[in-house]
Amino acid sequence: MSLKDIPESFNIDSEEDLRFVISKYFLELGFDTNEFSFEDSFSIQLGHNSIIVGKEDSEQRTSSGRSDILVTRNGNPIILIETKKPDHKLTNDDAQQAISYARLTSQITPFALLTNGKDTKIYDVLAPSVSEIDDPEDSLWIKNGQKFHGLYEELKTEAAQLLVGINSEILTQFCHKQVNNELKSLKSDVPGNRIFIPEVYVERIGLGQSFSSWLDSNRSIFALISPSGYGKTNFMCATAEKQLKDNFVLFYSAKSLKGDIYSAIINDFIWEFIRSKNIAQIFQRFDSISAKHNRDFFIFIDGLDEDKNHSNNLKNELLEISKRLPSYPNVRFIFSCKTFDWPNFIIDHNQSYNLLAETINPDIENLDLINNEINPDNVGYQLGELTSAELDIAIERYRNAYKLNGEFRGDIRQESANPLMLRFIS
């Protein structure tokens, strides 16, 4: 009797029941219990980041995907079995997921079996497209003399690409790693004294309301502008981490781009996008994945003004992004920039707002520019000093974090309304 011949009268109420039946079947075929491996995790190398699928550790989130049963012979994987709930109707995505898992085991597994207890399908893992087979002799692995013939890395790369589109948790896990890596130079505890210290971070009320309104809008770019030391980077770091909970997020510091935004994204996603890909293709991929999983794809660029060597190139790139984004509603950017340098990005020839400015604030198109001077304050959220209520919260947090005694009064309190001065004083 084959797995496809299990009588319908056999009552399978759960995946656990199904795994038991499958295990019994392979035992009857002559396999040993030590040739079964259950719920294996495996590693996907995505560019600079290695993602462990189906395993949790102290540094990363858990991806929901993992193989249910791996059957081996002589230490070599033979068939990967992916089980679904009995009431789950098998889909092409399920098949692609099972095949991808089989390709990502430490040594490629030549067969993938997908079953819900009623429908059972077996796939040729080496086939270029989803290929269901009834006889192992029809598989490419058998025809190739049980060898992979140089397909190893190509198949693993393709599997990683497929899983990112199918399993949102894998892309989420990648985004967590990317953001965490980028924040290493910005985030610390109190003794580390880096820019972003979560223990003393205070949410700015007006900024938070403006950002929430932007999230609910259909605008594609949010810009945060302020003098140095007012808390732009703190907001960018805290917000990127917060958005990671429900959306896809990338984070970059402009001063460390080493070229341009496009190159930074392609370098991070070299497993997904070959270097010849253009930005339209990249945004299309991000947008389609996000739409499929009902999420947004946020790209944070902190400190536009800090890339002094490529400021003109960066401006041109931002203008190109502004032109492209209306076609990709799920891809959204968050920028920060110092007040002094902001006009260079949004005003052309000191006399007119450009497309970037109009994308950030569409209302400026309705201003009477003949009677109103071009004002960079009209574009982006202008962050000021701490309000009295915000300062009270900030002082209390700094007092606890730095073990401060005494009161903040008079000139000391007034100076502390500047977040950077509060840090110096503390």
Side-chain angles (χ1 to χ4, degrees):
M1 181 181 73
S2 75
L3 282 175
K4 295 186 178 183
D5 296 326
I6 295 175
E8 290 188 10
S9 59
F10 187 92
N11 188 21
I12 297 176
D13 294 323
S14 67
E15 284 189 71
E16 286 70 25
D17 292 341
L18 184 54
R19 291 171 193 170
F20 174 77
V21 171
I22 291 172
S23 300
K24 292 289 288 183
Y25 171 74
F26 278 96
L27 285 171
E28 291 177 6
L29 287 180
F31 285 88
D32 255 354
T33 54
N34 61 10
E35 292 179 308
F36 295 142
S37 181
F38 295 89
E39 297 191 336
D40 285 273
S41 61
F42 46 83
S43 173
I44 307 176
Q45 187 66 37
L46 302 183
H48 308 297
N49 295 306
S50 179
I51 305 300
I52 307 299
V53 179
K55 182 179 180 180
E56 184 173 12
D57 60 32
S58 59
E59 295 183 355
Q60 61 187 29
R61 288 169 56 89
T62 301
S63 164
S64 61
R66 57 184 153 192
S67 63
D68 291 318
I69 305 174
L70 183 65
V71 182
T72 64
R73 175 52 56 95
N74 298 324
N76 298 315
I78 296 296
I79 186 165
L80 182 141
I81 301 164
E82 180 75 6
T83 60
K84 299 296 181 182
K85 294 179 180 179
D87 59 354
H88 176 86
K89 184 177 180 179
L90 302 182
T91 66
N92 187 65
D93 277 359
D94 296 330
Q96 289 186 326
Q97 179 172 289
I99 292 169
S100 297
Y101 288 169
R103 290 177 175 181
L104 290 167
T105 50
S106 57
Q107 178 181 324
I108 291 178
T109 305
F111 301 105
L113 184 151
L114 176 66
T115 182
N116 61 8
K118 298 178 181 178
D119 296 322
T120 298
K121 302 176 184 293
I122 300 176
Y123 299 98
D124 182 355
V125 170
L126 299 190
S129 59
V130 175
S131 179
E132 188 178 352
I133 57 174
D134 291 318
D135 188 339
E137 296 295 327
D138 295 332
S139 71
L140 290 178
W141 183 64
I142 295 294
K143 292 178 180 179
N144 289 342
Q146 300 183 11
K147 296 179 181 178
F148 298 109
H149 288 310
L151 296 173
Y152 196 83
E153 292 303 325
E154 181 180 338
L155 290 174
K156 284 184 175 289
T157 299
E158 183 181 339
Q161 293 172 336
L162 283 171
L163 280 180
V164 165
I166 296 169
N167 188 337
S168 64
E169 283 302 313
I170 291 176
L171 181 54
T172 298
Q173 193 175 335
F174 174 83
C175 288
H176 272 261
K177 282 229 169 188
Q178 193 276 344
V179 172
N180 288 340
N181 285 341
E182 290 294 323
L183 294 191
K184 282 181 179 177
S185 63
L186 300 172
K187 178 182 176 181
S188 74
D189 56 11
V190 172
N193 199 35
R194 290 184 176 153
I195 295 177
F196 176 48
I197 301 176
E199 289 176 71
V200 297
Y201 175 67
V202 175
E203 292 187 8
R204 309 296 295 276
I205 298 172
L207 173 56
Q209 292 172 342
S210 179
F211 187 73
S212 293
S213 297
W214 177 78
L215 288 176
D216 293 334
S217 74
N218 59 2
R219 286 177 290 162
S220 54
I221 299 178
F222 182 88
L224 174 60
I225 316 303
S226 80
S228 180
Y230 276 43
K232 298 184 299 297
T233 297
N234 278 269
F235 170 82
M236 297 287 280
C237 294
T239 306
E241 290 188 330
K242 182 177 180 180
Q243 290 302 319
L244 272 173
K245 296 176 182 177
D246 299 307
N247 297 290
F248 304 123
V249 176
L250 299 177
F251 187 100
Y252 299 98
S253 293
K255 63 182 177 183
S256 60
L257 284 177
K258 297 179 181 178
D260 53 45
I261 298 170
Y262 302 163
S263 297
I265 294 173
I266 291 173
N267 284 337
D268 274 337
F269 284 79
I270 193 64
W271 47 274
E272 174 69 46
F273 305 116
I274 59 175
R275 294 189 185 278
S276 61
K277 290 282 188 182
N278 61 42
I279 197 62
Q281 292 169 307
I282 293 173
F283 283 178
Q284 177 61 55
R285 177 68 166 150
F286 287 169
D287 188 70
S288 62
I289 292 174
S290 301
K292 180 174 183 177
H293 298 295
N294 196 29
R295 300 186 184 189
D296 280 330
F297 203 118
F298 293 113
I299 302 175
F300 288 74
I301 312 291
D302 184 42
L304 297 180
D305 54 280
E306 296 183 17
D307 187 11
K308 301 296 185 184
N309 295 327
H310 307 96
S311 58
N312 287 333
N313 291 338
L314 184 56
K315 176 181 178 178
N316 292 332
E317 193 174 17
L318 297 180
L319 290 171
E320 178 70 14
I321 288 173
S322 301
K323 182 169 68 175
R324 298 279 187 184
L325 284 180
S327 300
Y328 312 106
N330 296 288
V331 180
R332 309 177 77 181
F333 278 80
I334 299 97
F335 302 136
S336 71
C337 184
K338 288 188 180 72
T339 304
F340 179 80
D341 296 282
W342 187 227
N344 299 332
F345 289 98
I346 59 168
I347 298 175
D348 289 341
H349 312 297
N350 295 318
Q351 61 184 10
S352 62
Y353 295 117
N354 60 24
L355 179 60
L356 174 60
E358 293 170 358
T359 303
I360 295 169
N361 182 7
D363 292 337
I364 62 174
E365 294 182 341
N366 301 322
L367 295 177
D368 183 357
L369 299 182
I370 296 177
N371 298 317
N372 289 276
E373 181 182 353
I374 297 293
N375 184 353
D377 289 350
N378 291 328
V379 182
Y381 184 87
Q382 310 294 320
L383 183 63
E385 294 186 334
L386 294 165
T387 66
S388 180
E390 292 167 348
L391 181 57
D392 287 339
I393 297 171
I395 287 174
E396 187 62 26
R397 293 187 180 175
Y398 272 89
R399 187 188 303 281
N400 294 331
Y402 288 86
K403 297 179 173 55
L404 303 177
N405 295 316
E407 298 295 327
F408 282 75
R409 294 177 179 171
D411 291 342
I412 291 294
R413 180 180 172 87
Q414 184 175 346
E415 291 291 337
S416 297
N418 179 321
L420 184 59
M421 288 304 299
L422 176 58
R423 175 77 65 90
F424 287 157
I425 291 168
S426 297

